[in-house]
């Protein structure tokens, strides 16, 4: 049996107000091609199917059309919810999707055994047990921790995640002692290399878990949430597949991939990464105004989609005229065929700064996140670290609810 591990599709993602539907469509075509070529039996998607908890009609159409194509490819699919996903949104069609070989676990169910899924082979023999663990929300993990300190809450979250997986491992040890066990998860593992596009998880990432929370009974752990493909604590069997496409400029140098797990006689035979083609380049161009203009004139690309470019103008002396010229430059390339300028900012070594008290001059407000603004506000208040952490935690929860 062959299992394909992917995660963090983020359907509907906008990169600086520019939609990423085109590269997602190309990835889905590659996914289906890989399933056919590699003769994949089971597809695991470990959370963050959508980028928003309130996906648009177009987002849902892409999602359901993909599931139909997977069904036509005769493959079993298991989907778990991530921190970006709405539990209700994912779970609503789960009964219908179950009729076309797709199992959805949007959030932690009341009965923990509902996360245990038996997968049989062509001979209808039990071949592997999947633990479809979605993103575990605070309310799932620390029901009796209201009013505790920040440190207590963080410790309770870590303990809750560990306990959740241990309960599943105990059940597997009792019911399936000789079967391969593959656990899914959507969480932040300690030491993981992150990018700008991950929204903070579990108390501002202070509750990062160690790889040791995963019981030894797990033959493979298919993780989502971190967008760079990587091993956790250098352990071959605990992996993030990463996002299939670049979701921020901080991922411009990342090589995207998926993981193929081969099972033979109830054991993991091999784990291999398969590279995902790059459909467009994300490029940073920096220098003086003249240098940037020259680099833009000479820029070429052979990618199937136009490149996304961020400009970083660096001049010695502040000038409002320079900022105006940057705006004119960006506007002049608005309809370029080879690239699109998505982000630009100007910085100066000397002279007056328009927003010197907080942010760099020439930095567009759309490139400043709400959390960055809130952090600056906290810094101005000169609060101690614990109070800042508590307020950042509360702000993040409110931000995710409103989004």
């Amino acid at each position: 049996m062959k299992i394909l591990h992917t995660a963090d599709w983020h359907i509907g993602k906008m990169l600086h107000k520019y939609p990423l539907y085109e590269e997602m469509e190309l990835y889905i075509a590659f996914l289906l091609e890989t399933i056919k070529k590699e003769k994949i039996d089971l597809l695991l998607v470990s959370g963050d199917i959508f980028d928003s908890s309130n996906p648009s009609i177009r987002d849902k159409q892409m999602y359901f059309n993909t599931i139909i194509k997977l069904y036509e490819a005769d493959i079993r699919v298991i989907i778990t919810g991530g921190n970006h996903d709405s539990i209700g949104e994912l779970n609503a069609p789960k009964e219908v999707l179950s009729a076309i070989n797709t199992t959805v676990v949007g959030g932690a169910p009341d009965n923990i055994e509902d996360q245990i899924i038996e997968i049989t082979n062509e001979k209808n023999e039990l071949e592997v047990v999947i633990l479809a663990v979605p993103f575990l929300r605070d309310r799932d993990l620390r029901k009796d921790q209201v009013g505790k300190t920040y440190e207590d809450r963080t410790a309770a979250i870590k303990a809750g995640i560990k306990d959740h997986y241990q309960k599943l491992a105990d059940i597997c040890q009792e019911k399936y002692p000789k079967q391969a066990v593959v656990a899914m998860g959507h969480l932040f593992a300690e030491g993981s290399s992150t990018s700008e596009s991950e929204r903070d998880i579990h108390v501002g990432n202070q509750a990062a878990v160690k790889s040791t929370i995963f019981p030894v009974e797990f033959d493979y752990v298919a993780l989502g949430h971190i967008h760079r493909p990587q091993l956790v604590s250098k352990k071959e069997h605990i992996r993030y597949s990463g996002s299939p496409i670049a979701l921020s400029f901080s991922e411009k140098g990342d090589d995207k991939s998926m993981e193929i797990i081969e099972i033979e006689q109830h054991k993991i035979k091999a784990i291999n990464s398969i590279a995902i083609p790059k459909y467009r380049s994300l490029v940073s161009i920096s220098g003086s105004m003249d240098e940037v203009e020259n680099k833009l004139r000479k820029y070429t690309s052979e990618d199937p989609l136009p490149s996304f470019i961020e400009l970083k103008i660096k001049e010695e002396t502040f000038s409002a005229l320079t900022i105006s010229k940057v705006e004119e430059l960006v506007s002049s390339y608005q309809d370029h065929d080879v690239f699109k300028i998505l982000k630009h900012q100007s910085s100066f070594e000397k002279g007056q700064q328009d927003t010197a008290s907080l942010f760099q001059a020439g930095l567009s407000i759309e490139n400043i996140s709400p959390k960055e603004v809130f952090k600056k506000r906290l810094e101005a208040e000169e609060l101690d670290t614990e109070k800042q952490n508590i307020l950042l935690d509360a702000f993040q929860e409110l931000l995710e609810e409103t989004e």
Side-chain angles (χ1 to χ4, degrees), residues 283-300 309-314 329 333 336 338-339:
V283 181
S284 293
I285 295 180
S286 60
S288 67
M289 186 69 188
D290 291 338
E291 290 171 338
V292 166
E293 283 189 280
N294 187 46
K295 290 175 183 178
L296 284 176
R297 281 195 297 268
K298 295 180 179 179
Y299 184 82
T300 60
I309 290 181
E310 63 172 350
L311 301 181
K312 296 181 179 180
I313 314 296
K314 300 178 181 179
L329 176 68
Y333 282 106
H336 202 278
V338 179
F339 62 81

Side-chain angles (χ1 to χ4, degrees), residues 241-275:
S241 66
S243 59
I245 61 174
L247 301 172
S248 73
F249 279 97
S250 65
E251 298 171 36
K252 59 182 177 288
D254 294 357
D255 294 321
K256 299 298 184 179
S257 62
M258 302 180 289
E259 308 301 318
I260 296 179
I261 306 100
E262 295 185 45
I263 297 177
E264 192 173 284
Q265 296 181 345
H266 314 296
K267 300 293 182 182
I268 301 292
K269 177 185 176 183
I271 303 171
N272 296 299
S273 298
I274 183 164

Side-chain angles (χ1 to χ4, degrees), residues 358-401:
L358 291 179
F359 299 104
Q360 293 177 320
L363 179 62
S364 174
I365 189 65
E366 69 185 36
N367 295 330
I368 306 172
S369 73
K371 191 167 185 179
E372 288 174 318
V373 176
F374 190 70
K375 281 183 177 179
K376 290 293 183 182
R377 186 70 180 85
L378 291 180
E379 289 171 7
E381 291 293 325
E382 298 182 351
L383 301 173
D384 61 51
T385 302
E386 181 175 0
K387 287 182 179 178
Q388 286 195 33
N389 285 335
I390 291 171
L391 288 170
L392 279 172
D393 179 23
F395 180 81
Q396 185 63 39
E397 291 181 11
L398 289 171
L399 183 63
E400 291 195 16
E401 288 296 328

Side-chain angles (χ1 to χ4, degrees), residues 191-216:
S192 302
S193 173
T194 63
S195 66
E196 292 175 359
S197 57
E198 289 102 353
R199 185 180 298 164
D200 284 357
I201 182 175
H202 287 327
V203 200
N205 281 342
Q206 294 301 307
V209 299
K210 296 180 182 293
S211 62
T212 52
I213 72 154
F214 300 112
V216 294

Side-chain angles (χ1 to χ4, degrees), residues 130-170:
I130 305 296
L131 306 181
V133 182
F135 172 67
L136 299 173
R137 287 169 164 77
D138 289 3
R139 59 179 175 267
D140 302 321
L141 300 170
R142 54 178 185 86
K143 297 176 182 178
D144 61 343
Q145 296 295 320
V146 177
K148 300 287 186 177
T149 66
Y150 176 78
E151 288 77 10
D152 289 339
R153 294 175 65 198
T154 301
I157 290 169
K158 291 182 180 182
I161 295 172
K162 181 178 181 180
D163 183 60
H164 191 91
Y165 279 106
Q166 187 58 58
K167 287 178 179 176
L168 288 168
D170 291 343

Side-chain angles (χ1 to χ4, degrees), residues 347-365:
S347 61
F348 307 92
E349 293 182 13
K350 303 175 184 176
Q352 181 181 358
Q353 301 271 343
D354 287 345
T355 51
S357 62
L358 291 179
F359 299 104
Q360 293 177 320
L363 179 62
S364 174
I365 189 65

Side-chain angles (χ1 to χ4, degrees), residues 9 42-50 63-64 67 70 76-82 85-109 114-117 130-135 184:
W9 288 4
L42 172 65
L43 173 67
L44 305 180
V45 190
S46 296
D48 281 354
I49 310 306
F50 297 107
Y63 172 58
F64 290 123
I67 290 176
L70 290 167
R76 179 78 186 269
V77 181
I78 298 176
I79 294 170
T80 54
D85 297 312
S86 160
I87 297 175
E89 192 74 51
L90 279 187
N91 281 348
K94 65 183 296 183
E95 301 301 329
V96 175
L97 296 182
S98 66
I100 54 173
N101 288 337
T102 298
T103 301
V104 177
V105 182
D114 289 344
Q115 294 166 87
I116 301 175
I117 302 167
I130 305 296
L131 306 181
V133 182
F135 172 67
M184 301 172 70

